[in-house]
Amino acid sequence: MNLLGFKSLQELNHHMMPSQWVKRMSAEQALVHHMEVCQQAVQEARRSFPCELDVSFGESEKQKVDFYFSPDHKDPGDGILFIYIHGGYWQALGKDCGATAAHLICQSGYSYAAVGYDLAPSVSLTVIVEEIRRAIVFIAKRYPNAKCVVSGHSTGAHLSACVMNTAWEQYGLDTCPIKATVLFDGIYDLRPFQLCEDNEAVQVTQNEITKLSPLLMSKKELSVPKDFPCLLVTCENTTPEFIKQQVLYHQVSDIDTFPC
Protein backbone atom coordinates (compact mmCIF):
# COMPACT_ATOMS: atom_id res chain seq x y z
CA MET A 1 0.00 0.00 0.00
CA ASN A 2 1.28 3.46 -0.92
CA LEU A 3 1.14 5.46 2.33
CA LEU A 4 2.14 8.73 0.63
CA GLY A 5 5.31 9.11 2.68
CA PHE A 6 3.82 8.17 6.04
CA LYS A 7 5.49 5.35 7.94
CA SER A 8 2.23 3.66 8.92
CA LEU A 9 -1.54 4.01 8.77
CA GLN A 10 -1.43 5.00 12.43
CA GLU A 11 0.86 7.93 11.61
CA LEU A 12 -1.32 8.93 8.64
CA ASN A 13 -4.46 8.89 10.78
CA HIS A 14 -2.71 10.98 13.43
CA HIS A 15 -1.74 13.60 10.84
CA MET A 16 -5.31 13.75 9.51
CA MET A 17 -6.93 14.37 12.91
CA PRO A 18 -6.62 18.06 13.94
CA SER A 19 -7.97 17.39 17.45
CA GLN A 20 -4.92 15.19 18.12
CA TRP A 21 -2.65 18.23 17.80
CA VAL A 22 -4.35 20.48 20.36
CA LYS A 23 -1.87 21.47 23.10
CA ARG A 24 -4.07 22.90 25.87
CA MET A 25 -6.36 19.89 26.37
CA SER A 26 -6.95 16.33 25.26
CA ALA A 27 -8.46 15.51 21.87
CA GLU A 28 -11.72 14.47 23.51
CA GLN A 29 -11.86 17.64 25.59
CA ALA A 30 -11.10 19.73 22.50
CA LEU A 31 -14.08 18.28 20.62
CA VAL A 32 -16.42 18.91 23.57
CA HIS A 33 -15.05 22.43 23.98
CA HIS A 34 -15.52 23.12 20.27
CA MET A 35 -19.19 22.16 20.42
CA GLU A 36 -19.72 24.30 23.53
CA VAL A 37 -18.12 27.32 21.85
CA CYS A 38 -20.27 26.78 18.75
CA GLN A 39 -23.48 26.64 20.76
CA GLN A 40 -22.59 29.73 22.79
CA ALA A 41 -21.66 31.65 19.63
CA VAL A 42 -24.86 30.84 17.75
CA GLN A 43 -27.04 31.69 20.76
CA GLU A 44 -25.24 35.01 21.23
CA ALA A 45 -25.55 35.87 17.54
CA ARG A 46 -29.27 35.12 17.50
CA ARG A 47 -29.84 37.27 20.59
CA SER A 48 -27.77 40.16 19.33
CA PHE A 49 -28.52 40.60 15.64
CA PRO A 50 -31.43 40.47 13.18
CA CYS A 51 -31.48 37.03 11.62
CA GLU A 52 -33.43 34.81 9.26
CA LEU A 53 -33.04 31.14 10.09
CA ASP A 54 -33.54 27.84 8.30
CA VAL A 55 -33.97 29.31 4.82
CA SER A 56 -34.18 26.36 2.41
CA PHE A 57 -32.09 26.27 -0.73
CA GLY A 58 -32.74 22.60 -1.54
CA GLU A 59 -35.10 19.73 -0.91
CA SER A 60 -33.51 18.04 2.11
CA GLU A 61 -33.78 19.05 5.75
CA LYS A 62 -30.09 19.96 6.01
CA GLN A 63 -29.96 22.15 2.89
CA LYS A 64 -30.66 25.39 4.73
CA VAL A 65 -28.97 28.71 5.40
CA ASP A 66 -29.03 30.93 8.47
CA PHE A 67 -28.64 34.65 7.69
CA TYR A 68 -27.36 37.17 10.24
CA PHE A 69 -27.34 40.93 9.64
CA SER A 70 -25.71 43.97 11.23
CA PRO A 71 -27.89 45.91 13.70
CA ASP A 72 -28.62 48.63 11.14
CA HIS A 73 -29.54 46.35 8.24
CA LYS A 74 -31.81 43.41 7.51
CA ASP A 75 -30.37 42.97 4.05
CA PRO A 76 -26.72 42.97 2.91
CA GLY A 77 -27.54 45.40 0.08
CA ASP A 78 -24.35 46.06 -1.83
CA GLY A 79 -22.18 45.33 1.21
CA ILE A 80 -20.12 42.29 2.14
CA LEU A 81 -21.93 39.00 2.75
CA PHE A 82 -19.63 36.52 4.50
CA ILE A 83 -20.67 32.94 3.62
CA TYR A 84 -19.31 30.25 5.92
CA ILE A 85 -19.09 26.51 5.15
CA HIS A 86 -18.66 24.34 8.25
CA GLY A 87 -16.19 21.48 8.57
CA GLY A 88 -16.66 18.04 10.12
CA TYR A 89 -15.00 15.77 7.53
CA TRP A 90 -18.13 15.93 5.38
CA GLN A 91 -19.88 13.65 7.89
CA ALA A 92 -20.50 15.66 11.06
CA LEU A 93 -21.57 19.03 12.51
CA GLY A 94 -24.00 21.47 10.90
CA LYS A 95 -24.71 25.11 10.13
CA ASP A 96 -24.92 26.04 13.83
CA CYS A 97 -21.19 25.30 13.99
CA GLY A 98 -20.78 27.71 11.11
CA ALA A 99 -22.05 30.68 13.10
CA THR A 100 -19.04 31.09 15.37
CA ALA A 101 -17.88 34.25 13.57
CA ALA A 102 -21.35 35.73 12.99
CA HIS A 103 -21.10 38.07 15.99
CA LEU A 104 -17.74 39.49 14.86
CA ILE A 105 -18.84 39.94 11.24
CA CYS A 106 -22.21 41.53 12.03
CA GLN A 107 -20.73 43.75 14.73
CA SER A 108 -18.38 45.07 12.04
CA GLY A 109 -21.35 46.11 9.90
CA TYR A 110 -21.46 43.19 7.49
CA SER A 111 -23.83 40.28 6.86
CA TYR A 112 -23.23 36.59 7.51
CA ALA A 113 -24.61 33.33 6.12
CA ALA A 114 -24.01 29.89 7.69
CA VAL A 115 -24.64 27.10 5.19
CA GLY A 116 -25.89 23.61 6.01
CA TYR A 117 -25.61 20.61 3.73
CA ASP A 118 -26.25 16.87 3.65
CA LEU A 119 -23.59 14.64 5.17
CA ALA A 120 -21.94 11.33 4.43
CA PRO A 121 -22.74 8.47 4.41
CA SER A 122 -26.20 9.63 3.28
CA VAL A 123 -24.70 11.36 0.24
CA SER A 124 -21.38 11.27 -1.62
CA LEU A 125 -18.72 13.96 -1.63
CA THR A 126 -19.69 14.79 -5.21
CA VAL A 127 -23.23 15.52 -4.07
CA ILE A 128 -22.00 17.66 -1.17
CA VAL A 129 -19.88 19.83 -3.48
CA GLU A 130 -22.88 20.27 -5.77
CA GLU A 131 -25.05 21.29 -2.80
CA ILE A 132 -22.52 23.98 -1.84
CA ARG A 133 -22.54 25.31 -5.40
CA ARG A 134 -26.32 25.50 -5.34
CA ALA A 135 -26.25 27.20 -1.95
CA ILE A 136 -23.91 29.87 -3.31
CA VAL A 137 -26.16 30.34 -6.35
CA PHE A 138 -29.23 30.61 -4.11
CA ILE A 139 -27.59 33.26 -1.94
CA ALA A 140 -26.26 35.20 -4.93
CA LYS A 141 -29.68 35.32 -6.55
CA ARG A 142 -31.36 36.26 -3.27
CA TYR A 143 -28.93 39.14 -2.73
CA PRO A 144 -27.66 40.00 -6.23
CA ASN A 145 -25.85 43.19 -5.18
CA ALA A 146 -23.96 41.71 -2.25
CA LYS A 147 -20.21 41.16 -2.35
CA CYS A 148 -19.98 37.48 -1.43
CA VAL A 149 -16.91 36.26 0.45
CA VAL A 150 -16.85 32.46 0.85
CA SER A 151 -15.01 30.90 3.75
CA GLY A 152 -14.65 27.60 5.55
CA HIS A 153 -12.53 25.62 7.98
CA SER A 154 -10.93 22.22 7.31
CA THR A 155 -13.32 20.37 4.99
CA GLY A 156 -15.35 23.57 4.80
CA ALA A 157 -12.26 25.22 3.31
CA HIS A 158 -12.02 22.30 0.87
CA LEU A 159 -15.62 22.87 -0.24
CA SER A 160 -15.01 26.62 -0.53
CA ALA A 161 -11.99 25.96 -2.76
CA CYS A 162 -13.97 23.50 -4.90
CA VAL A 163 -16.65 26.04 -5.79
CA MET A 164 -14.03 28.26 -7.41
CA ASN A 165 -14.12 25.63 -10.17
CA THR A 166 -17.72 26.13 -11.27
CA ALA A 167 -19.34 26.88 -14.61
CA TRP A 168 -21.67 29.51 -13.14
CA GLU A 169 -23.52 30.09 -16.41
CA GLN A 170 -24.94 26.58 -16.04
CA TYR A 171 -26.62 27.81 -12.86
CA GLY A 172 -28.11 30.92 -14.42
CA LEU A 173 -25.41 33.38 -13.37
CA ASP A 174 -23.53 35.57 -15.84
CA THR A 175 -20.40 35.85 -13.72
CA CYS A 176 -18.78 34.30 -10.66
CA PRO A 177 -20.71 35.58 -7.60
CA ILE A 178 -17.73 35.17 -5.27
CA LYS A 179 -15.46 38.18 -4.72
CA ALA A 180 -12.93 36.55 -2.37
CA THR A 181 -12.30 33.48 -0.21
CA VAL A 182 -10.86 32.96 3.26
CA LEU A 183 -9.71 29.37 3.84
CA PHE A 184 -8.78 28.07 7.30
CA ASP A 185 -6.64 24.92 7.46
CA GLY A 186 -8.08 23.42 4.32
CA ILE A 187 -7.74 19.95 2.83
CA TYR A 188 -6.64 20.43 -0.76
CA ASP A 189 -5.47 16.89 -1.59
CA LEU A 190 -7.89 14.04 -0.90
CA ARG A 191 -5.35 11.24 -1.36
CA PRO A 192 -4.30 11.01 2.33
CA PHE A 193 -7.93 11.21 3.45
CA GLN A 194 -8.86 8.25 1.24
CA LEU A 195 -6.50 6.10 3.33
CA CYS A 196 -7.50 7.32 6.79
CA GLU A 197 -10.16 5.78 9.02
CA ASP A 198 -12.55 8.75 8.68
CA ASN A 199 -13.03 7.82 5.03
CA GLU A 200 -15.15 4.83 6.08
CA ALA A 201 -18.27 7.03 6.08
CA VAL A 202 -17.36 9.21 3.08
CA GLN A 203 -15.93 6.55 0.75
CA VAL A 204 -14.03 8.98 -1.45
CA THR A 205 -13.56 7.51 -4.92
CA GLN A 206 -10.57 7.78 -7.22
CA ASN A 207 -12.59 9.93 -9.57
CA GLU A 208 -13.44 12.30 -6.71
CA ILE A 209 -9.77 12.54 -5.77
CA THR A 210 -8.99 13.72 -9.30
CA LYS A 211 -12.02 15.98 -9.74
CA LEU A 212 -12.42 17.35 -6.20
CA SER A 213 -8.86 17.83 -4.94
CA PRO A 214 -8.12 21.55 -5.38
CA LEU A 215 -4.41 20.72 -5.65
CA LEU A 216 -5.11 18.42 -8.59
CA MET A 217 -7.78 20.46 -10.36
CA SER A 218 -6.97 21.86 -13.75
CA LYS A 219 -6.29 25.60 -13.71
CA LYS A 220 -8.40 25.79 -16.86
CA GLU A 221 -11.44 24.95 -14.73
CA LEU A 222 -11.06 27.99 -12.46
CA SER A 223 -14.04 30.31 -12.74
CA VAL A 224 -12.41 33.23 -10.92
CA PRO A 225 -9.99 35.85 -12.31
CA LYS A 226 -6.24 35.56 -11.69
CA ASP A 227 -6.30 38.56 -9.35
CA PHE A 228 -8.99 36.89 -7.24
CA PRO A 229 -7.98 37.28 -3.55
CA CYS A 230 -7.74 34.09 -1.51
CA LEU A 231 -6.54 34.31 2.09
CA LEU A 232 -5.02 31.07 3.41
CA VAL A 233 -5.05 30.94 7.21
CA THR A 234 -3.06 28.46 9.32
CA CYS A 235 -4.58 27.99 12.76
CA GLU A 236 -2.59 27.43 15.92
CA ASN A 237 -1.34 23.86 16.46
CA THR A 238 -2.76 22.49 13.22
CA THR A 239 -1.49 19.24 11.73
CA PRO A 240 1.74 19.14 9.70
CA GLU A 241 -0.19 17.54 6.83
CA PHE A 242 -2.65 20.43 6.68
CA ILE A 243 0.24 22.92 6.75
CA LYS A 244 2.00 21.06 3.93
CA GLN A 245 -1.13 21.02 1.80
CA GLN A 246 -1.70 24.74 2.34
CA VAL A 247 1.89 25.53 1.31
CA LEU A 248 1.51 23.41 -1.84
CA TYR A 249 -1.84 25.00 -2.66
CA HIS A 250 -0.26 28.43 -2.37
CA GLN A 251 2.60 27.37 -4.66
CA VAL A 252 0.51 25.86 -7.44
CA SER A 253 -2.55 28.12 -7.30
CA ASP A 254 -3.13 30.36 -10.28
CA ILE A 255 -4.87 33.02 -8.17
CA ASP A 256 -3.65 35.56 -5.61
CA THR A 257 -3.27 33.43 -2.48
CA PHE A 258 -2.06 35.10 0.72
CA PRO A 259 -0.85 32.66 3.39
CA CYS A 260 -0.88 33.80 7.00
Side-chain angles (χ1 to χ4, degrees):
M1 180 186 292
N2 180 4
L3 295 178
L4 304 173
F6 294 101
K7 296 177 182 179
S8 65
L9 281 175
Q10 182 179 11
E11 183 184 54
L12 185 151
N13 278 310
H14 184 59
H15 277 254
M16 294 301 291
M17 293 183 179
S19 61
Q20 297 289 329
W21 296 83
V22 175
K23 302 295 185 184
R24 295 186 291 273
M25 60 188 74
S26 69
E28 293 77 14
Q29 290 172 328
L31 293 172
V32 172
H33 178 68
H34 176 67
M35 295 304 299
E36 291 175 348
V37 168
C38 288
Q39 288 302 314
Q40 291 172 2
V42 72
Q43 291 171 11
E44 178 65 22
R46 291 176 181 179
R47 284 195 302 264
S48 305
F49 302 101
C51 55
E52 190 172 356
L53 308 176
D54 295 323
V55 180
S56 295
F57 68 87
E59 296 180 356
S60 75
E61 181 63 26
K62 290 186 180 295
Q63 293 179 53
K64 293 181 178 179
V65 185
D66 289 344
F67 292 100
Y68 300 86
F69 307 102
S70 66
D72 300 326
H73 304 87
K74 292 186 178 180
D75 186 305
D78 60 357
I80 293 175
L81 174 54
F82 196 90
I83 304 170
Y84 190 85
I85 315 298
H86 72 82
Y89 265 155
W90 309 286
Q91 60 193 281
L93 307 181
K95 59 182 174 61
D96 282 3
C97 287
T100 49
H103 192 283
L104 176 64
I105 298 296
C106 295
Q107 195 173 45
S108 300
Y110 308 121
S111 301
Y112 192 93
V115 177
Y117 52 90
D118 289 312
L119 303 173
S122 298
V123 296
S124 68
L125 181 56
T126 298
V127 170
I128 292 173
V129 172
E130 180 63 17
E131 287 186 12
I132 300 303
R133 288 189 174 116
R134 294 190 179 279
I136 301 299
V137 171
F138 171 81
I139 294 170
K141 290 182 176 180
R142 183 181 178 93
Y143 301 112
N145 297 318
K147 299 177 180 67
C148 295
V149 176
V150 176
S151 180
H153 173 255
S154 186
T155 49
H158 163 266
L159 294 170
S160 300
C162 282
V163 299
M164 289 191 283
N165 294 56
T166 301
W168 297 106
E169 65 275 6
Q170 296 180 8
Y171 298 85
L173 297 178
D174 295 331
T175 59
C176 176
I178 306 170
K179 304 305 180 186
T181 55
V182 183
L183 309 180
F184 298 87
D185 283 340
I187 296 176
Y188 307 110
D189 185 348
L190 295 173
R191 288 175 293 185
F193 179 80
Q194 189 186 39
L195 299 175
C196 79
E197 59 188 34
D198 280 310
N199 187 42
E200 182 177 349
V202 185
Q203 293 293 302
V204 170
T205 67
Q206 193 60 45
N207 183 61
E208 288 174 328
I209 287 175
T210 302
K211 297 292 186 181
L212 301 179
S213 290
L215 268 174
L216 307 179
M217 287 177 174
S218 170
K219 295 180 181 180
K220 295 179 181 179
E221 297 174 2
L222 278 174
S223 58
V224 297
K226 286 190 175 182
D227 60 352
F228 179 86
C230 175
L231 184 64
L232 302 174
V233 183
T234 300
C235 300
E236 183 184 16
N237 300 324
T238 193
T239 82
E241 176 62 23
F242 282 23
I243 294 173
K244 182 185 78 173
Q245 290 197 17
Q246 176 163 296
V247 170
L248 290 173
Y249 186 60
H250 170 61
Q251 291 173 347
V252 306
S253 180
D254 205 29
I255 55 178
D256 285 343
T257 55
F258 303 94
C260 66

